[in-house]
Amino acid sequence: MYSALARLGTLVAPVLRGMTLGVRGACFDAEGRIFLVRHSYMPGWYLPGGGVERGETVQDALLRELREEGGIEVDDMPALFAIYVNPKRRRDHVLVFVSRSIRRPSPPDYPNREIAEAGFFDLQALPEATTPATRRRLAEISEGAPIAPHW
């Protein structure tokens, strides 16, 4: 019975659920290394970020997520790089921002309930488990690869 209900929910949710909006931050340190996080609840390395909460601006969500996941503070508001749609969830949109002027005055302790580990990585030496989507975003940002509309 549960599996039938779960399947029904999967079919109905996209129709009933409104669009979701997420933010990710490509944060580079002074040496040009990218900051990535590995979550405790899913595999792979990602750009830090998360969902925009009801009543929250995109910019506020980005700054909150950078602080929560990495202890990152930005000197200027990061620049919007691109907007993507997640083909696995047609109503899921992700805005990617880039910042090259960051500070980390008080990094969180890892592991914590959300982030298993985090760090700065040379673009030519990313962790093996860096997700394909994260690798595509970094190629678009740093190598001038064409920007794909899908996450």
Side-chain angles (χ1 to χ4, degrees):
M1 180 69 168
Y2 172 75
S3 63
L5 286 175
R7 270 184 263 152
L8 179 62
T10 302
L11 295 172
V12 173
V15 175
L16 298 178
R17 183 185 79 170
M19 182 184 84
T20 60
L21 185 60
V23 292
R24 297 260 178 201
C27 298
F28 294 89
D29 68 6
E31 286 105 52
R33 299 174 303 168
I34 186 70
F35 183 78
L36 299 176
V37 297
R38 189 173 66 79
H39 294 97
S40 59
Y41 51 86
M42 62 186 179
W45 287 85
Y46 299 83
L47 297 171
V52 178
E53 313 242 338
R54 193 177 296 271
E56 186 176 44
T57 68
V58 169
Q59 292 87 353
D60 288 344
L62 177 67
L63 297 177
R64 174 181 51 76
E65 290 289 347
L66 294 177
R67 250 188 330 274
E68 287 175 3
E69 294 188 1
I72 292 177
E73 302 287 337
V74 297
D75 294 325
D76 295 318
M77 185 59 203
L80 176 62
F81 178 75
I83 302 171
Y84 304 88
V85 65
N86 186 341
K88 294 177 185 172
R89 297 182 180 137
R90 290 184 311 250
R91 293 179 171 202
D92 182 32
H93 291 75
V94 181
L95 285 72
V96 174
F97 291 82
V98 175
S99 180
R100 297 184 188 278
S101 182
I102 64 166
R103 294 173 279 109
R104 245 181 129 205
S106 40
D109 290 329
Y110 302 111
N112 58 43
R113 68 177 179 79
E114 183 179 6
I115 305 298
E117 57 185 319
F120 287 92
F121 300 92
D122 186 281
L123 290 171
Q124 307 310 316
L126 296 173
E128 186 176 318
T130 302
T131 66
T134 300
R135 288 180 186 276
R136 287 192 301 272
R137 301 301 76 86
L138 293 174
E140 292 166 356
I141 292 165
S142 64
E143 300 168 16
I147 297 172
H150 295 100
W151 187 254

PDB file of all heavy atoms in Angstrom, residues 45-78:
ATOM      1  N   TRP A  45      30.453  16.159  -4.043  1.00  0.00           N
ATOM      2  CA  TRP A  45      30.895  17.504  -3.654  1.00  0.00           C
ATOM      3  C   TRP A  45      30.134  18.509  -4.495  1.00  0.00           C
ATOM      4  O   TRP A  45      29.962  18.324  -5.701  1.00  0.00           O
ATOM      5  CB  TRP A  45      32.391  17.650  -3.886  1.00  0.00           C
ATOM      6  CG  TRP A  45      33.219  16.904  -2.884  1.00  0.00           C
ATOM      7  CD1 TRP A  45      33.581  15.600  -2.946  1.00  0.00           C
ATOM      8  CD2 TRP A  45      33.777  17.423  -1.685  1.00  0.00           C
ATOM      9  NE1 TRP A  45      34.342  15.268  -1.853  1.00  0.00           N
ATOM     10  CE2 TRP A  45      34.482  16.375  -1.058  1.00  0.00           C
ATOM     11  CE3 TRP A  45      33.762  18.677  -1.071  1.00  0.00           C
ATOM     12  CZ2 TRP A  45      35.153  16.536   0.140  1.00  0.00           C
ATOM     13  CZ3 TRP A  45      34.448  18.843   0.122  1.00  0.00           C
ATOM     14  CH2 TRP A  45      35.125  17.779   0.717  1.00  0.00           C
ATOM     15  N   TYR A  46      29.690  19.599  -3.854  1.00  0.00           N
ATOM     16  CA  TYR A  46      28.815  20.597  -4.471  1.00  0.00           C
ATOM     17  C   TYR A  46      29.281  22.011  -4.156  1.00  0.00           C
ATOM     18  O   TYR A  46      29.981  22.242  -3.166  1.00  0.00           O
ATOM     19  CB  TYR A  46      27.393  20.477  -3.900  1.00  0.00           C
ATOM     20  CG  TYR A  46      26.729  19.163  -4.132  1.00  0.00           C
ATOM     21  CD1 TYR A  46      26.969  18.072  -3.293  1.00  0.00           C
ATOM     22  CD2 TYR A  46      25.838  18.992  -5.192  1.00  0.00           C
ATOM     23  CE1 TYR A  46      26.347  16.850  -3.504  1.00  0.00           C
ATOM     24  CE2 TYR A  46      25.207  17.777  -5.404  1.00  0.00           C
ATOM     25  CZ  TYR A  46      25.466  16.715  -4.555  1.00  0.00           C
ATOM     26  OH  TYR A  46      24.847  15.513  -4.773  1.00  0.00           O
ATOM     27  N   LEU A  47      28.805  22.954  -4.955  1.00  0.00           N
ATOM     28  CA  LEU A  47      28.896  24.358  -4.583  1.00  0.00           C
ATOM     29  C   LEU A  47      27.963  24.553  -3.398  1.00  0.00           C
ATOM     30  O   LEU A  47      26.877  23.963  -3.364  1.00  0.00           O
ATOM     31  CB  LEU A  47      28.448  25.253  -5.741  1.00  0.00           C
ATOM     32  CG  LEU A  47      29.273  25.183  -7.025  1.00  0.00           C
ATOM     33  CD1 LEU A  47      28.571  25.950  -8.144  1.00  0.00           C
ATOM     34  CD2 LEU A  47      30.674  25.724  -6.794  1.00  0.00           C
ATOM     35  N   PRO A  48      28.330  25.376  -2.417  1.00  0.00           N
ATOM     36  CA  PRO A  48      27.425  25.592  -1.287  1.00  0.00           C
ATOM     37  C   PRO A  48      26.158  26.299  -1.751  1.00  0.00           C
ATOM     38  O   PRO A  48      26.177  27.078  -2.700  1.00  0.00           O
ATOM     39  CB  PRO A  48      28.249  26.465  -0.342  1.00  0.00           C
ATOM     40  CG  PRO A  48      29.270  27.129  -1.207  1.00  0.00           C
ATOM     41  CD  PRO A  48      29.550  26.162  -2.327  1.00  0.00           C
ATOM     42  N   GLY A  49      25.069  26.004  -1.072  1.00  0.00           N
ATOM     43  CA  GLY A  49      23.803  26.657  -1.408  1.00  0.00           C
ATOM     44  C   GLY A  49      22.629  25.906  -0.854  1.00  0.00           C
ATOM     45  O   GLY A  49      22.771  24.950  -0.099  1.00  0.00           O
ATOM     46  N   GLY A  50      21.447  26.354  -1.251  1.00  0.00           N
ATOM     47  CA  GLY A  50      20.223  25.729  -0.759  1.00  0.00           C
ATOM     48  C   GLY A  50      19.011  26.472  -1.249  1.00  0.00           C
ATOM     49  O   GLY A  50      19.090  27.324  -2.145  1.00  0.00           O
ATOM     50  N   GLY A  51      17.885  26.189  -0.632  1.00  0.00           N
ATOM     51  CA  GLY A  51      16.614  26.752  -1.061  1.00  0.00           C
ATOM     52  C   GLY A  51      16.364  28.156  -0.558  1.00  0.00           C
ATOM     53  O   GLY A  51      16.836  28.545   0.508  1.00  0.00           O
ATOM     54  N   VAL A  52      15.606  28.891  -1.363  1.00  0.00           N
ATOM     55  CA  VAL A  52      15.152  30.219  -0.961  1.00  0.00           C
ATOM     56  C   VAL A  52      13.876  30.025  -0.155  1.00  0.00           C
ATOM     57  O   VAL A  52      12.926  29.389  -0.623  1.00  0.00           O
ATOM     58  CB  VAL A  52      14.890  31.113  -2.198  1.00  0.00           C
ATOM     59  CG1 VAL A  52      14.383  32.481  -1.776  1.00  0.00           C
ATOM     60  CG2 VAL A  52      16.152  31.236  -3.041  1.00  0.00           C
ATOM     61  N   GLU A  53      13.867  30.531   1.056  1.00  0.00           N
ATOM     62  CA  GLU A  53      12.718  30.360   1.937  1.00  0.00           C
ATOM     63  C   GLU A  53      11.639  31.387   1.617  1.00  0.00           C
ATOM     64  O   GLU A  53      11.925  32.464   1.070  1.00  0.00           O
ATOM     65  CB  GLU A  53      13.175  30.520   3.390  1.00  0.00           C
ATOM     66  CG  GLU A  53      14.418  29.728   3.683  1.00  0.00           C
ATOM     67  CD  GLU A  53      14.231  28.671   4.724  1.00  0.00           C
ATOM     68  OE1 GLU A  53      13.296  28.775   5.524  1.00  0.00           O
ATOM     69  OE2 GLU A  53      15.036  27.738   4.721  1.00  0.00           O
ATOM     70  N   ARG A  54      10.410  31.049   1.974  1.00  0.00           N
ATOM     71  CA  ARG A  54       9.283  31.959   1.767  1.00  0.00           C
ATOM     72  C   ARG A  54       9.578  33.305   2.427  1.00  0.00           C
ATOM     73  O   ARG A  54      10.009  33.357   3.570  1.00  0.00           O
ATOM     74  CB  ARG A  54       8.018  31.339   2.357  1.00  0.00           C
ATOM     75  CG  ARG A  54       6.747  32.028   1.952  1.00  0.00           C
ATOM     76  CD  ARG A  54       5.544  31.312   2.521  1.00  0.00           C
ATOM     77  NE  ARG A  54       5.384  29.958   2.004  1.00  0.00           N
ATOM     78  CZ  ARG A  54       4.702  29.647   0.910  1.00  0.00           C
ATOM     79  NH1 ARG A  54       4.138  30.587   0.209  1.00  0.00           N
ATOM     80  NH2 ARG A  54       4.604  28.381   0.522  1.00  0.00           N
ATOM     81  N   GLY A  55       9.409  34.407   1.684  1.00  0.00           N
ATOM     82  CA  GLY A  55       9.633  35.743   2.212  1.00  0.00           C
ATOM     83  C   GLY A  55      11.083  36.187   2.196  1.00  0.00           C
ATOM     84  O   GLY A  55      11.404  37.298   2.627  1.00  0.00           O
ATOM     85  N   GLU A  56      11.986  35.354   1.711  1.00  0.00           N
ATOM     86  CA  GLU A  56      13.410  35.657   1.689  1.00  0.00           C
ATOM     87  C   GLU A  56      13.822  36.076   0.280  1.00  0.00           C
ATOM     88  O   GLU A  56      13.353  35.496  -0.701  1.00  0.00           O
ATOM     89  CB  GLU A  56      14.158  34.391   2.109  1.00  0.00           C
ATOM     90  CG  GLU A  56      15.639  34.530   2.289  1.00  0.00           C
ATOM     91  CD  GLU A  56      16.264  33.230   2.795  1.00  0.00           C
ATOM     92  OE1 GLU A  56      15.931  32.150   2.294  1.00  0.00           O
ATOM     93  OE2 GLU A  56      17.104  33.317   3.699  1.00  0.00           O
ATOM     94  N   THR A  57      14.706  37.058   0.165  1.00  0.00           N
ATOM     95  CA  THR A  57      15.212  37.411  -1.160  1.00  0.00           C
ATOM     96  C   THR A  57      16.255  36.385  -1.587  1.00  0.00           C
ATOM     97  O   THR A  57      16.833  35.675  -0.760  1.00  0.00           O
ATOM     98  CB  THR A  57      15.867  38.811  -1.181  1.00  0.00           C
ATOM     99  OG1 THR A  57      17.073  38.763  -0.401  1.00  0.00           O
ATOM    100  CG2 THR A  57      14.927  39.895  -0.648  1.00  0.00           C
ATOM    101  N   VAL A  58      16.500  36.314  -2.877  1.00  0.00           N
ATOM    102  CA  VAL A  58      17.518  35.416  -3.412  1.00  0.00           C
ATOM    103  C   VAL A  58      18.878  35.756  -2.800  1.00  0.00           C
ATOM    104  O   VAL A  58      19.630  34.871  -2.388  1.00  0.00           O
ATOM    105  CB  VAL A  58      17.552  35.515  -4.952  1.00  0.00           C
ATOM    106  CG1 VAL A  58      18.761  34.823  -5.520  1.00  0.00           C
ATOM    107  CG2 VAL A  58      16.269  34.955  -5.543  1.00  0.00           C
ATOM    108  N   GLN A  59      19.183  37.046  -2.717  1.00  0.00           N
ATOM    109  CA  GLN A  59      20.467  37.471  -2.165  1.00  0.00           C
ATOM    110  C   GLN A  59      20.595  37.075  -0.695  1.00  0.00           C
ATOM    111  O   GLN A  59      21.651  36.606  -0.265  1.00  0.00           O
ATOM    112  CB  GLN A  59      20.649  38.990  -2.318  1.00  0.00           C
ATOM    113  CG  GLN A  59      20.820  39.433  -3.745  1.00  0.00           C
ATOM    114  CD  GLN A  59      19.476  39.690  -4.459  1.00  0.00           C
ATOM    115  OE1 GLN A  59      18.400  39.422  -3.947  1.00  0.00           O
ATOM    116  NE2 GLN A  59      19.566  40.197  -5.682  1.00  0.00           N
ATOM    117  N   ASP A  60      19.526  37.278   0.076  1.00  0.00           N
ATOM    118  CA  ASP A  60      19.566  36.897   1.488  1.00  0.00           C
ATOM    119  C   ASP A  60      19.759  35.395   1.646  1.00  0.00           C
ATOM    120  O   ASP A  60      20.501  34.942   2.518  1.00  0.00           O
ATOM    121  CB  ASP A  60      18.295  37.339   2.216  1.00  0.00           C
ATOM    122  CG  ASP A  60      18.232  38.843   2.431  1.00  0.00           C
ATOM    123  OD1 ASP A  60      19.266  39.526   2.312  1.00  0.00           O
ATOM    124  OD2 ASP A  60      17.117  39.348   2.720  1.00  0.00           O
ATOM    125  N   ALA A  61      19.085  34.609   0.803  1.00  0.00           N
ATOM    126  CA  ALA A  61      19.230  33.150   0.865  1.00  0.00           C
ATOM    127  C   ALA A  61      20.668  32.746   0.570  1.00  0.00           C
ATOM    128  O   ALA A  61      21.242  31.890   1.256  1.00  0.00           O
ATOM    129  CB  ALA A  61      18.270  32.486  -0.120  1.00  0.00           C
ATOM    130  N   LEU A  62      21.249  33.352  -0.459  1.00  0.00           N
ATOM    131  CA  LEU A  62      22.632  33.026  -0.811  1.00  0.00           C
ATOM    132  C   LEU A  62      23.579  33.349   0.342  1.00  0.00           C
ATOM    133  O   LEU A  62      24.397  32.511   0.741  1.00  0.00           O
ATOM    134  CB  LEU A  62      23.066  33.780  -2.067  1.00  0.00           C
ATOM    135  CG  LEU A  62      24.519  33.570  -2.473  1.00  0.00           C
ATOM    136  CD1 LEU A  62      24.754  32.131  -2.918  1.00  0.00           C
ATOM    137  CD2 LEU A  62      24.913  34.547  -3.558  1.00  0.00           C
ATOM    138  N   LEU A  63      23.488  34.541   0.889  1.00  0.00           N
ATOM    139  CA  LEU A  63      24.379  34.938   1.980  1.00  0.00           C
ATOM    140  C   LEU A  63      24.184  34.038   3.203  1.00  0.00           C
ATOM    141  O   LEU A  63      25.158  33.667   3.866  1.00  0.00           O
ATOM    142  CB  LEU A  63      24.169  36.405   2.325  1.00  0.00           C
ATOM    143  CG  LEU A  63      24.495  37.390   1.198  1.00  0.00           C
ATOM    144  CD1 LEU A  63      24.176  38.815   1.617  1.00  0.00           C
ATOM    145  CD2 LEU A  63      25.937  37.261   0.734  1.00  0.00           C
ATOM    146  N   ARG A  64      22.937  33.674   3.495  1.00  0.00           N
ATOM    147  CA  ARG A  64      22.645  32.775   4.622  1.00  0.00           C
ATOM    148  C   ARG A  64      23.289  31.406   4.402  1.00  0.00           C
ATOM    149  O   ARG A  64      23.946  30.871   5.291  1.00  0.00           O
ATOM    150  CB  ARG A  64      21.127  32.630   4.808  1.00  0.00           C
ATOM    151  CG  ARG A  64      20.731  31.593   5.865  1.00  0.00           C
ATOM    152  CD  ARG A  64      19.224  31.449   6.014  1.00  0.00           C
ATOM    153  NE  ARG A  64      18.509  31.229   4.783  1.00  0.00           N
ATOM    154  CZ  ARG A  64      18.454  30.075   4.098  1.00  0.00           C
ATOM    155  NH1 ARG A  64      19.138  29.020   4.540  1.00  0.00           N
ATOM    156  NH2 ARG A  64      17.744  29.967   2.994  1.00  0.00           N
ATOM    157  N   GLU A  65      23.091  30.837   3.207  1.00  0.00           N
ATOM    158  CA  GLU A  65      23.642  29.510   2.917  1.00  0.00           C
ATOM    159  C   GLU A  65      25.173  29.520   2.960  1.00  0.00           C
ATOM    160  O   GLU A  65      25.787  28.582   3.472  1.00  0.00           O
ATOM    161  CB  GLU A  65      23.148  29.005   1.559  1.00  0.00           C
ATOM    162  CG  GLU A  65      21.679  28.655   1.534  1.00  0.00           C
ATOM    163  CD  GLU A  65      21.326  27.391   2.311  1.00  0.00           C
ATOM    164  OE1 GLU A  65      22.242  26.626   2.692  1.00  0.00           O
ATOM    165  OE2 GLU A  65      20.140  27.157   2.542  1.00  0.00           O
ATOM    166  N   LEU A  66      25.804  30.554   2.414  1.00  0.00           N
ATOM    167  CA  LEU A  66      27.269  30.628   2.447  1.00  0.00           C
ATOM    168  C   LEU A  66      27.786  30.684   3.885  1.00  0.00           C
ATOM    169  O   LEU A  66      28.778  30.036   4.232  1.00  0.00           O
ATOM    170  CB  LEU A  66      27.770  31.833   1.654  1.00  0.00           C
ATOM    171  CG  LEU A  66      27.529  31.794   0.147  1.00  0.00           C
ATOM    172  CD1 LEU A  66      28.021  33.081  -0.502  1.00  0.00           C
ATOM    173  CD2 LEU A  66      28.160  30.571  -0.494  1.00  0.00           C
ATOM    174  N   ARG A  67      27.089  31.457   4.730  1.00  0.00           N
ATOM    175  CA  ARG A  67      27.467  31.549   6.146  1.00  0.00           C
ATOM    176  C   ARG A  67      27.264  30.211   6.850  1.00  0.00           C
ATOM    177  O   ARG A  67      28.138  29.724   7.566  1.00  0.00           O
ATOM    178  CB  ARG A  67      26.629  32.623   6.847  1.00  0.00           C
ATOM    179  CG  ARG A  67      27.377  33.846   7.250  1.00  0.00           C
ATOM    180  CD  ARG A  67      26.575  34.808   8.118  1.00  0.00           C
ATOM    181  NE  ARG A  67      25.133  34.835   7.912  1.00  0.00           N
ATOM    182  CZ  ARG A  67      24.498  35.569   6.997  1.00  0.00           C
ATOM    183  NH1 ARG A  67      25.160  36.348   6.192  1.00  0.00           N
ATOM    184  NH2 ARG A  67      23.195  35.542   6.904  1.00  0.00           N
ATOM    185  N   GLU A  68      26.084  29.602   6.651  1.00  0.00           N
ATOM    186  CA  GLU A  68      25.759  28.357   7.347  1.00  0.00           C
ATOM    187  C   GLU A  68      26.669  27.205   6.927  1.00  0.00           C
ATOM    188  O   GLU A  68      27.151  26.452   7.776  1.00  0.00           O
ATOM    189  CB  GLU A  68      24.303  27.947   7.062  1.00  0.00           C
ATOM    190  CG  GLU A  68      23.269  28.796   7.747  1.00  0.00           C
ATOM    191  CD  GLU A  68      21.843  28.434   7.331  1.00  0.00           C
ATOM    192  OE1 GLU A  68      21.641  27.474   6.553  1.00  0.00           O
ATOM    193  OE2 GLU A  68      20.929  29.135   7.788  1.00  0.00           O
ATOM    194  N   GLU A  69      26.883  27.041   5.634  1.00  0.00           N
ATOM    195  CA  GLU A  69      27.625  25.881   5.152  1.00  0.00           C
ATOM    196  C   GLU A  69      29.141  26.055   5.183  1.00  0.00           C
ATOM    197  O   GLU A  69      29.856  25.075   5.310  1.00  0.00           O
ATOM    198  CB  GLU A  69      27.167  25.516   3.727  1.00  0.00           C
ATOM    199  CG  GLU A  69      25.730  25.031   3.699  1.00  0.00           C
ATOM    200  CD  GLU A  69      25.290  24.492   2.358  1.00  0.00           C
ATOM    201  OE1 GLU A  69      26.098  24.464   1.397  1.00  0.00           O
ATOM    202  OE2 GLU A  69      24.117  24.105   2.257  1.00  0.00           O
ATOM    203  N   GLY A  70      29.608  27.302   5.058  1.00  0.00           N
ATOM    204  CA  GLY A  70      31.047  27.487   4.978  1.00  0.00           C
ATOM    205  C   GLY A  70      31.646  28.549   5.869  1.00  0.00           C
ATOM    206  O   GLY A  70      32.857  28.729   5.876  1.00  0.00           O
ATOM    207  N   GLY A  71      30.809  29.279   6.603  1.00  0.00           N
ATOM    208  CA  GLY A  71      31.337  30.402   7.371  1.00  0.00           C
ATOM    209  C   GLY A  71      31.871  31.495   6.465  1.00  0.00           C
ATOM    210  O   GLY A  71      32.728  32.280   6.846  1.00  0.00           O
ATOM    211  N   ILE A  72      31.358  31.550   5.239  1.00  0.00           N
ATOM    212  CA  ILE A  72      31.855  32.481   4.228  1.00  0.00           C
ATOM    213  C   ILE A  72      31.101  33.803   4.295  1.00  0.00           C
ATOM    214  O   ILE A  72      29.874  33.827   4.335  1.00  0.00           O
ATOM    215  CB  ILE A  72      31.747  31.866   2.819  1.00  0.00           C
ATOM    216  CG1 ILE A  72      32.742  30.703   2.700  1.00  0.00           C
ATOM    217  CG2 ILE A  72      31.974  32.906   1.732  1.00  0.00           C
ATOM    218  CD1 ILE A  72      32.679  29.966   1.394  1.00  0.00           C
ATOM    219  N   GLU A  73      31.858  34.871   4.290  1.00  0.00           N
ATOM    220  CA  GLU A  73      31.333  36.230   4.185  1.00  0.00           C
ATOM    221  C   GLU A  73      31.866  36.815   2.884  1.00  0.00           C
ATOM    222  O   GLU A  73      33.000  36.539   2.491  1.00  0.00           O
ATOM    223  CB  GLU A  73      31.807  37.081   5.368  1.00  0.00           C
ATOM    224  CG  GLU A  73      31.423  36.540   6.735  1.00  0.00           C
ATOM    225  CD  GLU A  73      29.951  36.695   7.056  1.00  0.00           C
ATOM    226  OE1 GLU A  73      29.288  37.580   6.465  1.00  0.00           O
ATOM    227  OE2 GLU A  73      29.447  35.919   7.896  1.00  0.00           O
ATOM    228  N   VAL A  74      31.055  37.604   2.218  1.00  0.00           N
ATOM    229  CA  VAL A  74      31.478  38.209   0.950  1.00  0.00           C
ATOM    230  C   VAL A  74      31.674  39.707   1.142  1.00  0.00           C
ATOM    231  O   VAL A  74      30.980  40.333   1.929  1.00  0.00           O
ATOM    232  CB  VAL A  74      30.468  37.934  -0.185  1.00  0.00           C
ATOM    233  CG1 VAL A  74      30.368  36.446  -0.463  1.00  0.00           C
ATOM    234  CG2 VAL A  74      29.109  38.499   0.139  1.00  0.00           C
ATOM    235  N   ASP A  75      32.640  40.265   0.410  1.00  0.00           N
ATOM    236  CA  ASP A  75      32.887  41.703   0.506  1.00  0.00           C
ATOM    237  C   ASP A  75      31.898  42.488  -0.351  1.00  0.00           C
ATOM    238  O   ASP A  75      31.492  43.575   0.020  1.00  0.00           O
ATOM    239  CB  ASP A  75      34.331  42.009   0.093  1.00  0.00           C
ATOM    240  CG  ASP A  75      35.321  41.417   1.086  1.00  0.00           C
ATOM    241  OD1 ASP A  75      35.009  41.393   2.297  1.00  0.00           O
ATOM    242  OD2 ASP A  75      36.387  40.955   0.658  1.00  0.00           O
ATOM    243  N   ASP A  76      31.537  41.964  -1.497  1.00  0.00           N
ATOM    244  CA  ASP A  76      30.531  42.569  -2.369  1.00  0.00           C
ATOM    245  C   ASP A  76      29.524  41.486  -2.714  1.00  0.00           C
ATOM    246  O   ASP A  76      29.859  40.303  -2.727  1.00  0.00           O
ATOM    247  CB  ASP A  76      31.164  43.083  -3.671  1.00  0.00           C
ATOM    248  CG  ASP A  76      32.134  44.223  -3.422  1.00  0.00           C
ATOM    249  OD1 ASP A  76      31.818  45.096  -2.599  1.00  0.00           O
ATOM    250  OD2 ASP A  76      33.205  44.225  -4.049  1.00  0.00           O
ATOM    251  N   MET A  77      28.309  41.897  -3.057  1.00  0.00           N
ATOM    252  CA  MET A  77      27.308  40.903  -3.426  1.00  0.00           C
ATOM    253  C   MET A  77      27.805  40.114  -4.623  1.00  0.00           C
ATOM    254  O   MET A  77      28.223  40.691  -5.624  1.00  0.00           O
ATOM    255  CB  MET A  77      25.979  41.597  -3.755  1.00  0.00           C
ATOM    256  CG  MET A  77      24.845  40.643  -4.041  1.00  0.00           C
ATOM    257  SD  MET A  77      24.507  39.551  -2.650  1.00  0.00           S
ATOM    258  CE  MET A  77      23.705  38.206  -3.479  1.00  0.00           C
ATOM    259  N   PRO A  78      27.803  38.781  -4.526  1.00  0.00           N
ATOM    260  CA  PRO A  78      28.225  37.958  -5.663  1.00  0.00           C
ATOM    261  C   PRO A  78      27.395  38.264  -6.910  1.00  0.00           C
ATOM    262  O   PRO A  78      26.220  38.613  -6.818  1.00  0.00           O
ATOM    263  CB  PRO A  78      27.981  36.529  -5.172  1.00  0.00           C
ATOM    264  CG  PRO A  78      28.074  36.629  -3.684  1.00  0.00           C
ATOM    265  CD  PRO A  78      27.482  37.974  -3.353  1.00  0.00           C
TER     266      PRO A  78
END
